[in-house]
Amino acid sequence: MAQNAAITLPYTQYTVADGLAQMQVRSIYADRDGLVWIGTQGGLSYYDGNVLNTIQDAGPLSEEYIVTVYKGSENLYISSQTAIYAYNGTKITRIIPHRLLPSATYATLEDPLHYVWLLNSDHETKLLNAANEIVPLQDVYPTLQHIDFHNAWGSPEWGKCYILDRQNRFYVFYPESDSLTVDSTTFQPTDQLQFDSNLSFDPSSIIFHKYEPVFPTGKHTVELYAIEGDQLKLVAKRFATNEPMSAVSPRAPISFIEGFDQANTVYVLQDSIYVSEAIPYFSYSRFKVEAHHKVYLATDEGLIVINGEGIENISFPDCDYPWSVVPDEQDNIYIGCYKTGVFKVSPKGQLLNHFQLPYSFPTPLPGNQILSNYLVTPEARLWGSNSGFMALRNGQSQLELIPCASSVEAMATDPADGSIIIGSRRLLWFDPNLQHRIDSMDLPEDIGDGRNVNDLLVTEDRILWVAAPVGIVRIDLKDKSVQNFWLPDETLPCKGAVTMDTDAKGNLWVGSTCGLLKWVPDQHTFISVLPDLIKGRINQISMLPEHRLACSSNNDLYILDIAGDEPQLITMYNESNGLRLHEPSENGSSLYQNKYMWLPAVQGIQRLDIEKIIPGFFPAAIRVVKHNGKDINFLRPVTDTVFTLENVSLLDISLIDHSARKWLFRFSMNKGSFSPWQSAKQLLVSGLQHGYNDVRIQGSWAIADPGALVETGITLETNLPFLRRTGVQRMMVILLVLAGFITIIGLFKLQRGRQLEKKLQDDLQRNRLKTIQAYLNPHFLFNTLTSIQDRILQQDAKTGNDIILRLSRVFRKVLDTGKVGSAHIPMIRLSEEISLIEDMVWLNNQQLANPIKFMLDVDPATPDQDPLIPPLLIEPFVENAFKHAFGNQLKDQWVHVKIAIHKSTLTAEVLDNGVGYDGSGNDMEQATLGMPLAKERMDILNQLGIQNNISFSKTEPQGTHVIIQISLVS
């Protein structure tokens, strides 16, 4: 719908506030275990279908610009602009440093022989073996040595790989036999070809777009190709920007949408959405297709998750409270709006007619309103109203109010004579032409409870079912005999009925105030359907093709398979996958052409594409991700062994499930009984015994259905203190303690005094060091903020973004100092110190009219060692050179830093060609507060056993030379 109405696909935006590592997303990868990995410009995150998590303690990777993420059999491979890292579930390791990479390199696939393929921007391909060693491609696969690679896809499960070269030739490669087939007929070398590689384990999801400009209009044709039978096949095409897609094969798009939140084109396939052009609202980088019937969009403003399960939002601004959607035989729809009348709308959203409410009629109820129920007869379309009911007769252009004694919310037709049955506080019969009231009938007072009827349904055998606030009434229209069903008779599981419908087999289904009910004629009663799942008030029921039933509550839409005797849940929708119903209209839903289900509600209309209803979700899984607050390996779904010293453990679990189902969890220990079901994802396991404890964890979205159960396990190896062990162990420990107590008590007292004295001395030095560190960090941050203030005020968006990114990295580095190291002194990696220096230099140069030339020489062997050093060891001396070395000197300013390691000693030299150093030390101490603090830190390090030395000298003809030497801690 493009003019008066608009269709949008629901999406959710995830930012750092939701757990994303950094806002600028650069790569997305969905693995076969159900996790979606998100590489950002500053860290790695993953999404389990429920929440975002960021990998902690990522080391240098937390500051890297991630290019691609790929999941292999043993590791997750992360390619940055400078290196390739491997994540094994607990630790991130840099396996290939930048000096071994000739250009930007990224992992694209793992083949059946478990080689990981590395492609680079120079179109070269190398292999990574199981030992994370680079192997030339031609050494393993001689057949491929002359291929000019453009991209490649594969998986160990496929048994083959797909390759596209720069001449647009498409290959199928079989690694086990080193054989190759080629399809060179699909594309020509001159084609404008784009491809969307989702690196999934489903080769059919690799989609190619071919663009062909149309001159002089500036428009273009688009062709979509997919892999079918190891060849690329055309599945759809579009001839102009404003024309829909044309289907070519069964895999063609089933809908084409213009204007998705300002996007130019969105292609919707059976189980995927393809966004081919930028979304201006977000700084759009790239998109991800495939994962769990959703689209993952990478932007500079976070992660966008677009729903792909068939739910669409329908916006119609002229309609106030859309209570019903009524289709007609010409593909148009009538939208009944609570206070603004009825709108006739074309399939493309054009307003064809507006049938306004008639003037108020003198009835006991003031004003006119359209309510949720509707009825289509050969003569008219009818809507309930608070003053009776509204009729839009065929060929008429005005709504007609037919008054009743109260509001009308239920209508039905008698198949015998076509008379119209109206449900208010009593039942009324009108002739088919709505000219005369021909009959009436009072309902049992206890059933009606003095309120209006909710729904009416007439079956083919002329049985009228009445859904009332307190029960259900069955009326045989042949003789007007009445049967009542209500809670006191235990014929209903709850108090009232809301809506009703019958399926193709004639079964009666009832939406009640406590869930979904089914009429069982043999037992002459109603039973609850899936009561553990469907518990709320059911407002709408629709019978769908292929023996499926849809029913909606205030927050959830359930799709059931009702072909068998026992209904089964196929899928469900709620806020987590795009459904946004709020107070859905009772009985106002409708089915259109056996393809779309319309769902009107207070906040708007949603439409469910029935052809996209997912027959089964991606298999759910449970992983234990933390034990007593510490991360554990969760990359591989195996039983892990975790060591603990306590008899109580707190386990954090992650549910990998991209559906809208509601899960409960429980656990058992050592084959004992299970704990009660709970919704929290933290399990407190108590009573652990010394030794090995096997814990089984189960999750279920329907505890009465064994097929809804998933489970995992973890082994807790518990090493309890001696006195907390049981049986013979405890007795032996007590005897040993008594025997040894007298022997060691004298030595204990003697050593205690010496240890206490040494501890006080060490604490004094450490606390002094922390005080100086706390003084130094704000000092550095203040200088950095001052240096970039003028640039931000210039409102240079691109440079401003880079400045903020660099400054955020400086903040993180400085504030994170002290989280790694020995017991005596906080430490950081040398690479982190170098990164901090580079950021500081760049920030300082932003404010200078004549930037200072900065040179950094690091001995080639040093990055591979990447030793631990005290934080801010070198940086203050570089900062001092930038701030105070040059005075009024304007030209040929330079600072040179040299770093090398020799025999476990790190030497760092800082040279400049500034005003120089007179040797007294006074000019250094007067120039900046940071220098004496840094020198004092070096003295304290000597006292704590970390040997170091610092010297200052003047260079000729001018300048300063600082030499820092420090012994490395193993």
Side-chain angles (χ1 to χ4, degrees):
M1 296 186 179
Q3 295 186 19
N4 301 91
I7 296 179
T8 61
L9 303 173
Y11 68 88
T12 304
Q13 180 181 9
Y14 293 91
T15 68
V16 291
D18 304 296
L20 193 64
Q22 201 260 357
M23 291 289 283
Q24 292 150 310
V25 178
R26 290 294 174 263
S27 177
I28 307 174
Y29 179 79
D31 68 24
R32 62 178 58 88
D33 295 322
L35 294 174
V36 179
W37 296 91
I38 303 107
T40 74
Q41 197 165 313
L44 179 68
S45 301
Y46 67 90
Y47 177 64
D48 61 11
N50 297 278
V51 295
L52 274 169
N53 300 274
T54 292
I55 302 301
Q56 304 296 324
D57 301 325
L61 182 61
S62 62
E63 309 299 335
E64 287 274 20
Y65 187 122
I66 295 177
V67 178
T68 58
V69 179
Y70 176 74
K71 174 74 177 299
S73 298
E74 300 296 330
N75 295 299
L76 187 78
Y77 296 96
I78 306 106
S79 304
S80 74
Q81 287 187 315
T82 62
I84 293 181
Y85 297 81
Y87 177 54
N88 64 2
T90 57
K91 182 182 180 181
I92 293 179
T93 305
R94 182 171 58 183
I95 58 174
I96 304 178
H98 65 279
R99 61 188 178 86
L100 297 179
L101 303 176
S103 59
T105 302
Y106 55 96
T108 62
L109 66 92
E110 183 178 6
D111 65 29
L113 300 183
H114 298 288
Y115 285 98
V116 176
W117 293 30
L118 304 177
L119 268 67
N120 62 39
S121 56
D122 293 332
H123 307 283
E124 298 175 343
T125 302
K126 298 182 184 298
L127 302 181
L128 197 66
N129 62 20
N132 290 330
E133 300 168 337
I134 293 180
V135 182
L137 179 71
Q138 59 271 19
D139 289 358
V140 182
Y141 305 124
T143 303
L144 302 179
Q145 59 184 327
H146 299 300
I147 290 183
D148 191 7
F149 280 88
H150 188 51
N151 213 328
W153 304 265
S155 174
E157 289 79 10
W158 294 1
K160 54 195 169 186
C161 304
Y162 298 101
I163 301 170
L164 185 73
D165 70 9
R166 287 198 290 174
Q167 287 71 45
N168 287 341
R169 285 185 290 261
F170 181 73
Y171 301 86
V172 182
F173 176 63
Y174 300 89
E176 294 181 344
S177 60
D178 192 26
S179 58
L180 190 71
T181 63
V182 60
D183 173 15
S184 59
T185 61
T186 306
F187 302 120
Q188 300 301 319
T190 57
D191 287 337
Q192 296 185 33
L193 187 65
Q194 296 184 14
F195 58 88
D196 306 323
S197 168
N198 60 13
L199 302 177
S200 74
F201 52 92
D202 177 11
S204 65
S205 61
I206 300 175
I207 296 293
F208 293 82
H209 296 161
K210 186 176 79 171
Y211 295 85
E212 182 178 347
V214 179
F215 299 103
T217 63
K219 297 179 180 179
H220 57 263
T221 60
V222 181
E223 295 181 348
L224 265 64
Y225 292 80
I227 293 180
E228 293 182 0
D230 287 348
Q231 287 188 328
L232 284 173
K233 299 292 185 180
L234 179 67
V235 295
K237 63 172 60 180
R238 180 164 62 94
F239 297 99
T241 303
N242 59 353
E243 295 181 5
M245 293 296 291
S246 173
V248 178
S249 81
R251 293 200 71 244
I254 57 177
S255 63
F256 173 78
I257 299 172
E258 296 276 1
F260 163 64
D261 288 351
Q262 303 183 36
N264 292 324
T265 51
V266 176
Y267 303 99
V268 183
L269 269 72
Q270 190 74 16
D271 60 353
S272 302
I273 303 175
Y274 297 88
V275 184
S276 67
E277 298 184 17
I279 296 181
Y281 179 72
F282 298 102
S283 299
Y284 167 80
S285 300
R286 64 178 65 184
F287 67 96
K288 180 72 179 176
V289 181
E290 180 267 331
H292 325 298
H293 310 288
K294 293 181 175 62
V295 176
Y296 295 84
L297 217 64
T299 78
D300 285 343
E301 283 77 33
L303 175 71
I304 310 298
V305 181
I306 305 174
N307 171 262
E309 297 181 49
I311 289 288
E312 297 164 327
N313 298 318
I314 315 297
S315 173
F316 193 71
D318 296 329
C319 180
D320 186 10
Y321 292 86
W323 278 134
S324 61
V325 178
V326 184
D328 70 4
E329 63 282 354
Q330 297 177 342
D331 295 346
N332 302 314
I333 59 172
Y334 295 82
I335 304 176
C337 302
Y338 181 49
K339 296 181 180 179
T340 49
V342 175
F343 295 86
K344 185 178 181 180
V345 180
S346 74
K348 292 187 176 181
Q350 285 182 309
L351 177 61
L352 302 177
N353 209 335
H354 178 198
F355 305 98
Q356 297 183 353
L357 295 172
Y359 292 107
S360 299
F361 202 84
T363 66
L365 297 176
N368 289 329
Q369 298 169 348
I370 288 183
L371 302 180
S372 59
N373 214 340
Y374 66 89
L375 178 67
V376 179
T377 73
E379 305 294 330
R381 289 173 177 81
L382 309 179
W383 286 270
S385 170
N386 69 322
S387 301
F389 61 96
M390 301 283 182
L392 180 61
R393 299 181 187 273
N394 295 340
Q396 298 296 317
S397 60
Q398 181 64 44
L399 287 171
E400 176 185 351
L401 174 64
I402 300 176
C404 298
S406 62
S407 63
V408 170
E409 297 188 24
M411 295 172 284
T413 303
D414 188 335
D417 56 11
S419 60
I420 309 301
I421 308 173
I422 300 298
S424 59
R425 293 182 182 175
R426 56 202 308 257
L427 300 180
L428 306 174
W429 275 259
F430 285 81
D431 70 283
N433 295 322
L434 302 173
Q435 299 293 330
H436 306 285
R437 184 187 301 177
I438 57 178
D439 201 356
S440 64
M441 180 178 181
D442 290 326
L443 294 172
E445 184 175 348
D446 292 337
I447 293 286
D449 196 28
R451 290 179 283 170
N452 295 319
V453 168
N454 288 324
D455 198 11
L456 299 177
L457 176 70
V458 180
T459 61
E460 292 182 356
D461 56 355
R462 296 193 68 203
I463 300 297
L464 173 63
W465 293 92
V466 181
V470 183
I472 298 175
V473 180
R474 181 183 185 275
I475 302 174
D476 191 331
L477 294 179
K478 296 183 287 294
D479 58 9
K480 298 293 178 69
S481 58
V482 177
Q483 289 180 293
N484 300 325
F485 302 91
W486 54 352
L487 190 60
D489 291 341
E490 297 182 353
T491 53
L492 277 178
C494 54
K495 193 171 184 180
V498 181
T499 181
M500 298 182 292
D501 205 348
T502 54
D503 61 23
K505 298 179 181 179
N507 297 311
L508 175 65
W509 303 82
V510 177
S512 73
T513 57
C514 65
L516 181 65
L517 311 180
K518 182 181 179 182
W519 168 245
V520 183
D522 295 342
Q523 302 177 18
H524 205 66
T525 187
F526 290 89
I527 61 172
S528 295
V529 177
L530 300 176
D532 294 329
L533 288 173
I534 308 175
K535 299 179 181 180
R537 176 188 176 96
I538 298 299
N539 299 288
Q540 300 171 350
I541 294 179
S542 290
M543 295 299 163
L544 308 182
E546 301 178 3
H547 303 288
R548 290 179 291 180
L549 177 148
C551 61
S552 60
S553 66
N554 284 343
N555 300 301
D556 301 290
L557 173 65
Y558 306 90
I559 310 297
L560 306 181
D561 181 353
I562 57 174
D565 294 334
E566 297 294 332
Q568 301 292 325
L569 179 68
I570 297 176
T571 185
M572 64 183 296
Y573 300 85
N574 56 32
E575 287 186 348
S576 67
N577 60 350
L579 190 72
R580 297 174 182 172
L581 291 182
H582 177 66
E583 294 186 22
S585 63
E586 298 174 2
N587 322 314
S589 60
S590 63
L591 184 64
Y592 175 57
Q593 292 186 340
N594 277 344
K595 180 177 180 180
Y596 292 113
M597 179 183 177
W598 296 90
L599 301 159
V602 168
Q603 292 183 338
I605 306 171
Q606 290 197 290
R607 188 179 70 175
L608 173 63
D609 189 334
I610 296 171
E611 295 181 9
K612 293 185 184 178
I613 293 176
I614 312 304
F617 289 112
F618 195 95
I622 301 176
R623 307 283 178 85
V624 182
V625 296
K626 288 186 177 181
H627 168 255
N628 290 340
K630 295 182 179 180
D631 294 337
I632 62 176
N633 190 336
F634 68 99
L635 275 185
R636 304 182 65 185
V638 297
T639 301
D640 294 303
T641 299
V642 177
F643 182 78
T644 179
L645 295 174
E646 299 294 333
N647 65 347
V648 176
S649 288
L650 182 64
L651 303 178
D652 286 52
I653 58 177
S654 173
L655 170 68
I656 305 174
D657 181 46
H658 295 260
S659 72
R661 299 175 291 201
K662 300 174 182 177
W663 288 78
L664 297 174
F665 307 95
R666 66 179 184 178
F667 70 91
S668 70
M669 184 176 66
N670 298 327
K671 298 182 180 181
S673 59
F674 277 93
S675 64
W677 290 102
Q678 65 177 62
S679 58
K681 294 181 182 178
Q682 281 193 327
L683 305 177
L684 183 63
V685 182
S686 59
L688 297 174
Q689 300 176 5
H690 181 72
Y692 292 95
N693 297 268
D694 293 323
V695 179
R696 304 303 302 170
I697 301 171
Q698 293 184 341
S700 178
W701 51 270
I703 57 178
D705 182 4
L709 191 71
V710 295
E711 70 173 30
T712 189
I714 186 171
T715 299
L716 301 178
E717 182 182 355
T718 308
N719 187 7
L720 295 178
F722 288 158
L723 291 178
R724 295 170 63 184
R725 302 180 188 180
T726 58
V728 176
Q729 292 177 323
R730 177 176 295 177
M731 181 61 67
M732 293 177 62
V733 168
I734 293 175
L735 292 175
L736 287 174
V737 170
L738 291 176
F741 180 80
I742 298 175
T743 304
I744 65 174
I745 191 170
L747 294 175
F748 176 79
K749 290 183 177 181
L750 180 62
Q751 290 294 328
R752 184 180 180 185
R754 296 175 181 176
Q755 292 174 355
L756 182 59
E757 180 181 0
K758 186 177 184 303
K759 182 178 183 299
L760 290 174
Q761 292 177 351
D762 288 347
D763 286 347
L764 179 62
Q765 298 298 336
R766 282 195 296 271
N767 289 337
R768 174 60 177 156
L769 182 65
K770 290 179 181 179
T771 301
I772 296 171
Q773 177 70 51
Y775 193 19
L776 183 61
N777 285 352
H779 171 69
F780 169 74
L781 297 180
F782 174 78
N783 285 350
T784 307
L785 286 170
T786 302
S787 70
I788 68 172
Q789 182 178 14
D790 292 339
R791 175 64 68 175
I792 294 177
L793 292 176
Q794 293 176 13
Q795 299 182 351
D796 183 346
K798 182 179 183 304
T799 306
N801 181 66
D802 291 340
I803 291 175
I804 293 173
L805 177 63
R806 298 253 189 174
L807 181 58
S808 67
R809 292 203 306 230
V810 170
F811 277 14
R812 183 183 298 175
K813 291 185 181 78
V814 175
L815 295 177
D816 281 353
T817 57
K819 293 185 177 180
V820 179
S822 66
H824 292 290
I825 176 69
M827 309 287 269
I828 62 170
R829 293 286 177 187
L830 174 62
S831 60
E832 296 179 83
E833 178 84 358
I834 293 174
S835 177
L836 176 62
I837 292 172
E838 291 174 334
D839 284 338
M840 182 278 297
V841 168
W842 189 90
L843 288 169
N844 275 279
N845 270 330
Q846 292 305 304
Q847 68 167 342
L848 300 177
N850 297 289
I852 298 171
K853 183 180 180 181
F854 176 72
M855 297 166 287
L856 174 65
D857 290 335
V858 181
D859 184 82
T862 300
D864 292 338
Q865 298 182 42
D866 203 10
L868 290 169
I869 63 172
L872 300 176
L873 177 71
I874 309 169
E875 184 277 332
F877 302 99
V878 180
E879 181 186 8
N880 186 71
F882 266 77
K883 290 294 185 180
H884 305 287
F886 299 102
N888 297 324
Q889 180 181 338
L890 299 178
K891 295 182 179 179
D892 300 325
Q893 306 170 77
W894 54 262
V895 175
H896 190 180
V897 175
K898 302 178 182 179
I899 300 175
I901 297 176
H902 181 67
K903 293 183 178 180
S904 300
T905 298
L906 172 71
T907 301
E909 301 178 63
V910 182
L911 302 94
D912 65 68
N913 64 338
V915 296
Y917 168 61
D918 66 6
S920 67
N922 295 327
D923 53 349
M924 177 193 72
E925 296 186 8
Q926 293 172 359
T928 172
L929 179 61
M931 294 292 288
L933 285 177
K935 191 173 185 305
E936 187 174 354
R937 290 174 67 239
M938 307 296 282
D939 294 338
I940 294 178
L941 291 174
N942 276 321
Q943 297 178 45
L944 291 176
I946 301 179
Q947 299 302 315
N948 67 88
N949 182 55
I950 182 171
S951 64
F952 301 84
S953 62
K954 185 175 182 179
T955 60
E956 296 298 335
Q958 64 180 25
T960 302
H961 186 190
V962 181
I963 301 176
I964 307 162
Q965 292 181 311
I966 187 167
S967 299
L968 299 177
V969 179
S970 59

